[in-house]
């Protein structure tokens, strides 16, 4: 078999859920085409209800697709379902675990479900990685929420998958756990593991992800390297702190102005149309004494909002 050049290849993926009593069927995925490179940290972003969870559950083998083709680490899901499932580990958003299992037992059971022989299990290594060595033999019901989330990560890693999917991994967690998680993610990625991340914390996606795909209403509306997507945004904001609150200002056409509660002026413009010098010159002409000035570049959140608004308006 020829080695896979992509970690995941998705072609024409569709999923339609049957409607309830008197309701029309719900089309959750509408022909997704997506290739995720091996060794990348890939962000899968989208608003609630966009289809991200359905896509992840199809990859994990928990939801049956309606149409399309999915290959995971070169294995066609329909032809080689066991190999494709063994190639991927999923850390779910929900805290689903047996409260009467200890972390050690939970990891061993999970490894057994994947057919990992006892001699090849990495239970102690995984427990150390997720910071649960001292809680290895405590019942899961006694663990804090953060510790349970660590255990979910451990369960996703017991079979040493090629691909790790993190579904909203930092939702509601503290700073310490968030930092530990990202350290582990970077370490695993450096070792060659492909990481797929879904998150509503877009600053995390911008910092962590090599590439990003944005899904809206069951369709991929954008996919590119993170810095390329951010670079599409032409908007820039000057944040001005004046000596005194100025009256109405006459600024170049195309400059949107607003005043924050702290008294600063926020002047947003398109760099391709207007220069910062022209705006500062207009302020000088208006007699505004500037105590401080800073700039704010567009970020991934701006891109996300701009693209999803445009898609919903279409």
């Amino acid at each position: 078999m020829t080695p896979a050049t992509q970690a995941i290849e998705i072609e024409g993926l569709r999923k339609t859920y049957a409607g309830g009593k008197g309701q029309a069927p719900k089309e959750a995925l509408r022909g997704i085409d997506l290739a995720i490179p091996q060794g990348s940290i890939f962000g899968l972003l989208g608003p609630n209800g966009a289809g991200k969870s359905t896509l992840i559950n199809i990859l994990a083998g928990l939801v049956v697709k309606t149409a399309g083709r999915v290959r995971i680490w070169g294995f066609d899901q329909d032809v080689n379902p066991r190999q494709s499932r063994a190639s991927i580990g999923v850390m779910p958003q929900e805290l689903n675990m047996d409260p009467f299992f200890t972390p050690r037992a939970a990891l061993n059971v999970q490894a057994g479900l994947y057919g990992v022989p006892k001699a090849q299990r990495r239970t102690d290594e995984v427990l150390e990685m997720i910071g649960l060595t001292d809680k290895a033999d405590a019942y899961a019901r006694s663990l804090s929420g953060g510790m349970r989330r660590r255990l979910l990560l451990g369960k996703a890693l017991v079979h040493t998958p090629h691909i790790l999917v993190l579904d909203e991994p930092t939702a509601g967690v503290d700073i310490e756990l968030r930092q530990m998680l990202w350290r582990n993610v970077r370490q695993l990625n450096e070792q060659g593991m492909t990481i797929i991340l879904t998150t509503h914390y877009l600053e995390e996606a911008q910092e962590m992800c090599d590439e990003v795909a944005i899904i809206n209403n069951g369709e991929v509306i954008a996919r590119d390297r993170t810095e390329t997507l951010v670079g599409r945004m032409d908007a820039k904001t000057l944040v001005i702190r004046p000596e005194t609150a100025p009256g109405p200002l006459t600024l170049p056409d195309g400059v949107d102005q607003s005043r924050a509660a702290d008294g600063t002026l926020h002047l947003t413009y398109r760099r391709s149309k207007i220069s910062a010098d022209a705006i500062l010159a207009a302020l000088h002409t208006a007699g505004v004494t500037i105590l401080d000035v800073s700039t704010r570049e567009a970020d991934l959140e701006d891109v996300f909002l701009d693209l999803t608004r445009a898609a919903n308006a279409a």
Side-chain angles (χ1 to χ4, degrees), residues 106-266:
L107 296 184
N108 280 324
V109 168
Q110 188 79 359
L113 292 174
Y114 278 99
V116 181
K118 288 185 178 180
Q120 297 178 20
R121 293 179 188 174
R122 304 162 45 242
T123 303
D124 289 337
E125 179 186 339
V126 172
L127 285 168
E128 183 176 358
M129 173 187 289
I130 61 177
L132 288 182
T133 299
D134 61 338
K135 297 289 186 180
D137 299 308
Y139 286 124
R141 67 175 182 269
S142 70
L143 301 179
S144 67
M147 291 177 180
R148 294 182 187 187
R149 195 161 290 279
R150 295 184 193 194
L151 183 53
L152 290 181
L153 174 61
K155 290 175 68 176
L157 294 171
V158 291
H159 60 297
T160 318
H162 297 295
I163 303 162
L164 174 64
V165 179
L166 304 172
D167 188 8
E168 299 288 347
T170 58
V173 305
D174 60 31
I175 294 174
E176 181 183 1
L177 177 55
R178 182 177 287 115
Q179 291 177 341
M180 183 217 74
L181 177 67
W182 294 141
R183 283 197 303 271
N184 288 341
V185 165
R186 286 193 171 97
Q187 179 183 350
L188 292 166
N189 183 245
E190 288 169 0
Q191 294 169 358
M193 188 175 290
T194 303
I195 310 293
I196 300 174
L197 168 67
T198 78
T199 180
H200 283 101
Y201 300 111
L202 299 186
E203 68 277 6
E204 290 184 347
Q206 183 167 344
E207 179 183 354
M208 295 292 299
C209 297
D210 308 314
E211 296 185 71
V212 166
I214 298 177
I215 296 179
N216 192 57
N217 294 324
E219 300 176 309
V220 175
I221 59 173
R223 182 266 167 85
D224 215 325
R225 293 196 62 81
T226 308
E227 64 267 23
T228 304
L229 275 176
V230 173
R232 289 185 187 181
M233 295 296 289
D234 194 27
K236 190 171 184 177
T237 301
L238 282 178
V239 180
I240 308 291
R241 185 175 299 281
E243 185 176 44
T244 59
L249 295 172
T250 301
L251 298 172
D253 291 341
V255 177
D256 294 326
Q257 54 182 301
S258 62
R259 303 191 187 199
D262 62 1
T264 56
L265 301 175
H266 291 238

Side-chain angles (χ1 to χ4, degrees), residues 261-281:
D262 62 1
T264 56
L265 301 175
H266 291 238
L267 309 176
T268 302
Y269 62 100
R270 294 200 170 274
R271 292 173 290 182
S272 60
K273 304 291 184 182
I274 304 166
S275 70
D277 283 345
I279 298 173
L280 293 172

Side-chain angles (χ1 to χ4, degrees), residues 13-44:
L13 184 61
R14 294 181 176 275
K15 175 60 183 178
T16 302
Y17 292 101
K21 190 173 183 180
Q23 295 181 329
K26 167 66 176 178
E27 193 173 23
L29 299 177
R30 305 179 180 185
I32 296 284
D33 294 316
L34 191 63
I36 299 176
Q38 288 186 12
S40 64
I41 301 180
F42 194 94
L44 194 61

